[in-house]
Amino acid sequence: MTKKITKVILGLILILIIAVLVVWFGFLRPNPPSISIKDRAQISLIPLPSELKLGNGKFIFETDFGYSFPQQNSQRLQNAVERFYSKLSLVSQVDFSKENDKKLLLVCKKTSMNNPNIEDDESYELIVKKEEIKIIANEESGILHGLETLFQLVKKEEKFWIPEIRIKDSPRFAWRGLMIDSGRHWVSKEVILRNIEAMAAVKMNVLHLHLTEFQAFRIESKLFPRLHEMGSKGNYYSQEDIKEIIDFAKNRNIRVIPEFDVPGHTTSWFIGYPELASTPDLYTLDTIFGVLDPVMDPSNEYVYEFLDQFFGEMAQLFPDEYVHIGGDEVNPKHWGQNELIKEFMKNNSLSDVHQLQAYFNLRIQKILEKHGKKMMGWDEILHADLPKDGIAVQSWRNHKSLWDAARAGNKTILSTGYYLDHKQSAEYIYKVDPLEIAEAITIDIDSTNWKAWKTTMTVMDSKIDGYLYLFGDGEKMNGIVASDMMTNDFSEAVVNGDALLFNVNSTFGKISYDLMTKEDSIFGKLKVAVFNIDLAGKRVGGSEMADGMKLPKFEKIEPLNSDSEKNILGGEACMWSEMVDDRSIDSRIWPRAAVVAEKLWSPSDLTKDTDDMYRRLMNLDTALDKYGLKHNKSGGEIIKNRIPEQIVAKVETLVEVLQEDLLFNRMQIYTPMLYTFTPLDRVVDAARPESYIAYKFNKDVDLWFETKDEVAAKSIVAFLHEWSNNYNDLKNAFEWSDFLKEVEPHSKHLSELSQIALVELSKKGLAIVKNTEPLNQNRTDIDTLLTAANLAYGGTLLPVVSGLRRLIKESDQ
């Protein structure tokens, strides 16, 4: 009996040992997280690497800190390591000896003289031990990325050091870009170069330069000199400038892709060469923004001869395989006014303007192919006649168009949701993923009580077709507006007789609908900032219409298969320049562009923690100063240029907690409209798209309510004391300063709410505020104040209101 029991026990032990071994060697083990929560909390890397494991020791930098290349070396690698040492010396104030004690080993297996391309192997391994640092990569780009990661890991105590660490890293997507528009407002070469430096820091690898617009032509053409001489007002990149930019970018593993927007957005071409236009005219550079009339003539053979020569010249200048032709927002008004174009369409069986533009695009694609280039364009270029392997489609109108293009076999790049000029928060951007479409519809769909209209919006002379769906009755009516441009829901629609009123919150601001319904018709206007857009439509469906259209299933989006996923190359952050100039552009790009960089580099499962992203992003925000960016300085420069020195600090206290409103919301401050010559020197230009002081304050408030954290409490109270005096400190300045006057309500609301919050905290017995005098504020007054504080003034918002609201409303509960 004893022997049997012993055998059973031994058998169970053996089974247990086998099970442990099986799990240990991975046969049954689930995939572990590539970075543990503990390790992640101790680093501030952006983007996060694919795999990371921290050790217990540290590598300490000594004055003798040399490097070597045990395998391959090149001029690009040499330049990269010199930049690393330069930055390291800048932060440490140590002049390192690079020849002695060679503890930095850079193991590159293959070097090349070629320009960066989409096929590059960017992977690397970084191993930091107490006695040495090693970066191993198959190609040069991996060494460059490894050096950037290494620099981000540097910390300081008594000496500068790096933790023992092992990183294996490679990008999720091969295309991680930043588009800079220098057409609408001039962006100098110096600004471009420092943004390239910052791009390299976060492993972005495509710079997309938008070079031509209604407002300016920004590149030198030796074949057609009147393009830049007459189309730029003297602000353009010479071909030597472009060569310098390309070489600077190449040294940092960044490709440079030019965009020459055709056939629309082309006024600047016509100043010197009006024969390219669809309508004969004496053209001048446009000073307003929008979708304007001038457009190239697709029926004129000379246009193609001209573009053949021009693109041939640019193909020699730009080495990348892609040339971007724009192709977006083509206004067909001038096409419709030209009898020769209408005859051309008839003779070539082109049924509408979409077919006409497709004809033009196909001609341009063949021209570019002749010059050894692939065509890239915004998603309007997508057409069945274009070759699948010869173009890349950049999706900007909606996420669904990206997936549709990928399913059709086209190479695609996502920019929807990555428009930095829309001024969305880092949190919003962080939720945008090329391979995921977030649920767009949030309202309850009442399939038993609905109406639908097919609608047409008229923007200038362009038509945008779509649908309007309305659900429910009475006070609970909600709905959906859907078009190629966007799909958004709305709630709390107001019906008063034949009038239908509602607001839609889009990615670029609030859109107000003021419509009338009459029998089967619907008509009225959309108000977007200072723009009024006509809408008209006909009833096409409803729950009571047996012969009408069926209600679509808005929530259903078919998943991509693996082949379609491979067609998504990556994405680009976009910085359009209607409301930025050479001084302010850095502050609108950074640090939010780094969020896009991380979404496109890091594994998807590592880009879900928004709080951790903000922790690392705020560290990066400061660190980017070392790369020469002016994002943390330009606001202060604007303030100092507008007000006396003695109140600068108080004004900065206010501006630091403001943030710029969304794109079209901000545009409402310009009367009658925004021009290219409008000065960009108001408080809204000094503010940032996101206030990290406000973010920290609101988070401290949440932490205090959850844990009664003493450090958070002290921080909250310190801010409240500072803010409570802001209005009194600036009261006199508001009377004489036009610059400050438009944000006076923010200062008043900030001070009043801070005073009330201090009173509420004093009731909790916080010693530091016990002596605060109670204010005569009843709850109705406070609610009114909070509502007013949430409004925009001077194109800016006061984002600390949410934290102040919680302190006031919940402290006495």
Side-chain angles (χ1 to χ4, degrees):
M1 185 71 176
T2 304
K3 289 181 179 180
K4 288 183 179 180
I5 294 173
T6 302
K7 286 182 179 179
V8 170
I9 293 172
L10 289 173
L12 291 173
I13 292 172
L14 182 60
I15 291 171
L16 180 61
I17 291 171
I18 293 171
V20 170
L21 289 173
V22 168
V23 172
W24 179 261
F25 285 107
F27 295 106
L28 299 178
R29 182 176 57 192
N31 292 328
S34 53
I35 304 177
S36 71
I37 295 174
K38 178 182 176 182
D39 286 352
R40 181 168 174 159
Q42 296 181 61
I43 61 168
S44 296
L45 293 174
I46 290 185
L48 286 169
S50 308
E51 298 179 29
L52 178 151
K53 179 65 178 175
L54 280 171
N56 297 319
K58 60 179 67 172
F59 176 92
I60 298 174
F61 289 98
E62 303 291 351
T63 304
D64 286 339
F65 175 53
Y67 68 90
S68 68
F69 290 95
Q71 293 189 17
Q72 300 291 315
N73 192 4
S74 68
Q75 188 59 54
R76 179 158 43 173
L77 290 176
Q78 196 65 44
N79 293 341
V81 75
E82 290 296 333
R83 289 195 304 273
F84 170 77
Y85 273 92
S86 178
K87 289 183 292 189
L88 189 61
S89 294
L90 180 66
V91 299
S92 66
Q93 296 300 300
V94 175
D95 186 13
F96 293 99
S97 171
K98 293 173 277 189
E99 301 300 323
N100 301 323
D101 206 3
K102 297 183 177 181
K103 293 182 177 180
L104 175 59
L105 308 180
L106 304 167
V107 184
C108 183
K109 300 176 183 179
K110 175 185 172 185
T111 60
S112 172
M113 296 293 291
N114 295 334
N115 288 284
N117 68 77
I118 201 167
E119 302 297 332
D120 285 346
D121 182 351
E122 300 179 83
S123 64
Y124 68 94
E125 186 173 1
L126 170 62
I127 305 166
V128 178
K129 298 179 180 178
K130 292 180 183 179
E131 63 277 4
E132 69 174 18
I133 299 170
K134 184 182 290 186
I135 301 175
I136 306 168
N138 292 324
E139 297 182 12
E140 291 169 300
S141 57
I143 297 293
L144 270 61
H145 293 322
L147 286 169
E148 294 292 351
T149 299
L150 184 63
F151 183 66
Q152 283 196 35
L153 288 168
V154 174
K155 300 183 179 184
K156 182 184 180 183
E157 289 174 354
E158 292 182 3
K159 290 188 175 183
F160 285 83
W161 62 280
I162 295 177
E164 279 193 326
I165 198 168
R166 188 182 190 97
I167 289 174
K168 288 186 177 181
D169 203 8
S170 59
R172 183 180 175 211
F173 292 101
W175 194 301
R176 307 176 305 281
L178 170 64
M179 188 285 299
I180 294 179
D181 166 24
S182 60
R184 291 170 173 84
H185 277 106
W186 171 238
V187 181
S188 66
K189 178 184 70 175
E190 291 70 28
V191 173
I192 296 295
L193 294 179
R194 70 186 185 224
N195 274 272
I196 291 173
E197 198 77 76
M199 289 173 64
V202 294
K203 302 178 178 63
M204 299 181 100
N205 67 348
V206 178
L207 174 64
H208 169 175
L209 292 177
H210 183 83
L211 295 167
T212 65
E213 259 303 337
F214 292 119
Q215 294 79 16
F217 196 99
R218 300 297 193 189
I219 187 168
E220 177 189 18
S221 170
K222 296 183 184 297
L223 291 180
F224 303 105
R226 295 201 301 274
L227 286 172
H228 64 275
E229 290 174 352
M230 301 178 69
S232 70
K233 295 186 177 179
N235 289 321
Y236 64 90
Y237 307 113
S238 70
Q239 293 200 5
E240 290 304 310
D241 289 335
I242 292 297
K243 291 175 183 176
E244 181 182 348
I245 289 169
I246 290 170
D247 186 62
F248 191 88
K250 176 182 177 180
N251 264 295
R252 290 152 182 82
N253 194 55
I254 293 173
R255 302 158 54 204
V256 180
I257 294 175
E259 180 182 351
F260 310 103
D261 207 343
V262 291
H265 291 264
T266 42
T267 304
S268 62
W269 299 68
F270 305 154
I271 313 301
Y273 300 92
E275 60 271 27
L276 301 174
S278 294
T279 301
D281 200 351
L282 184 62
Y283 286 91
T284 58
L285 290 174
D286 292 307
T287 58
I288 61 173
F289 302 109
V291 181
L292 308 179
D293 296 342
V295 61
M296 287 184 174
D297 183 353
S299 70
N300 183 353
E301 194 62 28
Y302 173 71
V303 169
Y304 301 106
E305 294 171 3
F306 183 100
L307 291 176
D308 185 7
Q309 294 181 68
F310 174 78
F311 282 125
E313 180 184 16
M314 294 300 113
Q316 294 298 313
L317 184 60
F318 290 90
D320 198 82
E321 63 179 324
Y322 283 99
V323 169
H324 202 301
I325 68 152
D328 61 314
E329 298 179 327
V330 175
N331 187 339
K333 177 181 177 180
H334 286 179
W335 288 349
Q337 294 173 347
N338 187 316
E339 294 300 323
L340 292 176
I341 292 177
K342 289 192 282 188
E343 184 68 20
F344 178 84
M345 292 176 65
K346 180 179 178 181
N347 293 339
N348 287 273
S349 301
L350 302 173
S351 58
D352 56 30
V353 293
H354 299 293
Q355 292 293 322
L356 180 60
Q357 185 178 353
Y359 171 88
F360 176 87
N361 290 342
L362 187 58
R363 292 287 301 269
I364 300 304
Q365 186 272 325
K366 290 178 179 177
I367 288 172
L368 289 173
E369 185 177 49
K370 167 187 168 183
H371 294 292
K373 300 295 184 182
K374 294 181 180 179
M375 186 174 85
M376 182 178 175
W378 302 103
D379 52 43
E380 288 98 324
I381 73 165
L382 189 62
H383 193 273
D385 291 343
L386 287 170
K388 298 291 187 289
D389 59 350
I391 67 167
V393 178
Q394 187 165 5
S395 177
W396 73 278
R397 290 184 295 177
N398 56 58
H399 206 135
K400 186 174 179 294
S401 68
L402 178 89
W403 285 25
D404 289 344
R407 284 195 187 96
N410 297 281
K411 301 301 181 186
T412 61
I413 297 97
L414 177 67
S415 284
T416 301
Y418 294 155
Y419 267 39
L420 302 177
D421 61 302
H422 283 186
K423 316 303 164 48
Q424 291 287 358
S425 68
E427 178 179 11
Y428 175 94
I429 295 169
Y430 206 51
K431 294 177 180 177
V432 178
D433 189 294
L435 298 184
E436 299 174 12
I437 297 183
E439 189 65 53
I441 305 302
T442 60
I443 62 170
D444 293 327
I445 304 296
D446 186 353
S447 59
T448 65
N449 190 358
W450 62 280
K451 299 175 182 177
W453 292 264
K454 186 174 183 180
T455 61
T456 299
M457 292 184 289
T458 304
V459 184
M460 301 292 189
D461 291 291
S462 296
K463 307 291 185 181
I464 301 175
D465 294 328
Y467 290 89
L468 167 62
Y469 303 91
L470 201 60
F471 305 97
D473 282 314
E475 297 180 355
K476 295 184 177 180
M477 296 187 73
N478 52 29
I480 296 169
V481 288
S483 71
D484 287 342
M485 293 293 296
M486 63 181 185
T487 297
N488 290 103
D489 58 31
F490 60 88
S491 56
E492 300 180 358
V494 175
V495 177
N496 186 4
D498 293 335
L500 172 62
L501 307 174
F502 59 88
N503 296 320
V504 168
N505 291 314
S506 73
T507 61
F508 42 78
K510 184 175 75 172
I511 305 175
S512 298
Y513 286 73
D514 187 348
L515 306 176
M516 297 289 292
T517 58
K518 188 172 183 181
E519 297 178 349
D520 285 342
S521 297
I522 191 167
F523 53 90
K525 291 187 180 295
L526 289 68
K527 182 175 176 60
V528 186
V530 297
F531 303 106
N532 289 303
I533 300 171
D534 291 324
L535 180 145
K538 287 288 186 181
R539 181 80 181 276
V540 292
S543 49
E544 82 286 7
M545 290 180 64
D547 58 345
M549 66 175 287
K550 293 183 179 180
L551 181 65
K553 294 182 179 180
F554 295 100
E555 74 286 351
K556 187 174 181 180
I557 299 174
E558 295 294 335
L560 294 174
N561 60 34
S562 58
D563 289 337
S564 297
E565 285 187 0
K566 292 175 184 176
N567 287 327
I568 298 179
L569 303 178
E572 282 187 5
C574 293
M575 187 64 244
W576 300 103
S577 65
E578 287 93 341
M579 286 183 280
V580 295
D581 57 15
D582 222 34
R583 175 171 57 185
S584 62
I585 190 169
D586 288 1
S587 67
R588 271 50 184 177
I589 296 175
W590 303 101
R592 292 177 304 140
V595 179
V596 180
E598 177 157 296
K599 290 297 292 188
L600 300 175
W601 177 280
S602 305
S604 175
D605 63 336
L606 293 180
T607 62
K608 308 296 185 185
D609 188 337
T610 301
D611 288 342
D612 183 69
M613 177 273 290
Y614 270 109
R615 174 185 67 82
R616 293 177 290 111
L617 188 69
M618 288 188 286
N619 284 331
L620 180 71
D621 185 48
T622 302
L624 284 171
D625 291 336
K626 303 182 185 74
Y627 294 86
L629 293 179
K630 307 295 183 183
H631 64 303
N632 284 318
K633 297 177 181 177
S634 61
E637 290 176 2
I638 292 171
I639 292 169
K640 290 172 184 175
N641 287 338
R642 295 297 307 271
I643 60 171
E645 184 178 352
Q646 58 266 31
I647 61 170
V648 164
K650 300 299 182 182
V651 173
E652 288 180 337
T653 295
L654 173 62
V655 175
E656 284 172 352
V657 295
L658 302 182
Q659 70 183 35
E660 184 180 4
D661 203 353
L662 298 180
L663 174 68
F664 282 165
N665 293 352
R666 171 182 167 167
M667 290 188 74
Q668 296 182 62
I669 71 173
Y670 298 104
T671 54
M673 66 177 61
L674 178 69
Y675 298 95
T676 57
F677 52 81
T678 301
L680 297 176
D681 61 351
R682 293 163 72 166
V683 170
V684 66
D685 301 297
R688 301 277 294 276
E690 193 163 25
S691 167
Y692 297 124
I693 288 178
Y695 175 85
K696 185 179 184 306
F697 173 78
N698 291 334
K699 282 297 180 181
D700 280 344
V701 170
D702 293 341
L703 179 62
W704 182 74
F705 273 102
E706 293 165 10
T707 67
K708 296 300 181 283
D709 183 89
E710 292 183 5
V711 175
K714 289 179 180 179
S715 176
I716 292 166
V717 171
F719 276 128
L720 294 178
H721 276 300
E722 184 178 26
W723 297 340
S724 65
N725 296 317
N726 187 261
Y727 185 66
N728 283 334
D729 291 337
L730 296 174
K731 194 171 184 179
N732 292 334
F734 288 130
E735 295 180 4
W736 54 261
S737 172
D738 292 337
F739 175 72
L740 293 176
K741 187 66 178 177
E742 61 185 350
V743 294
E744 180 180 6
H746 282 321
S747 177
K748 194 169 189 295
H749 297 149
L750 179 65
S751 292
E752 290 180 355
L753 290 173
S754 296
Q755 292 169 21
I756 299 169
L758 283 169
V759 171
E760 294 300 332
L761 287 179
S762 70
K763 297 175 184 178
K764 290 291 185 181
L766 293 181
I768 197 167
V769 294
K770 277 186 176 178
N771 297 324
T772 301
E773 292 294 326
L775 299 178
N776 293 321
Q777 292 276 359
N778 61 50
R779 285 290 160 184
T780 303
D781 294 335
I782 292 172
D783 288 342
T784 302
L785 178 59
L786 286 166
T787 299
N790 263 325
L791 300 177
Y793 301 94
T796 63
L797 299 169
L798 184 64
V800 294
V801 172
S802 60
L804 291 167
R805 178 190 297 275
R806 191 171 187 193
L807 289 173
I808 293 167
K809 290 286 192 176
E810 298 182 33
S811 290
D812 59 351
Q813 294 178 6

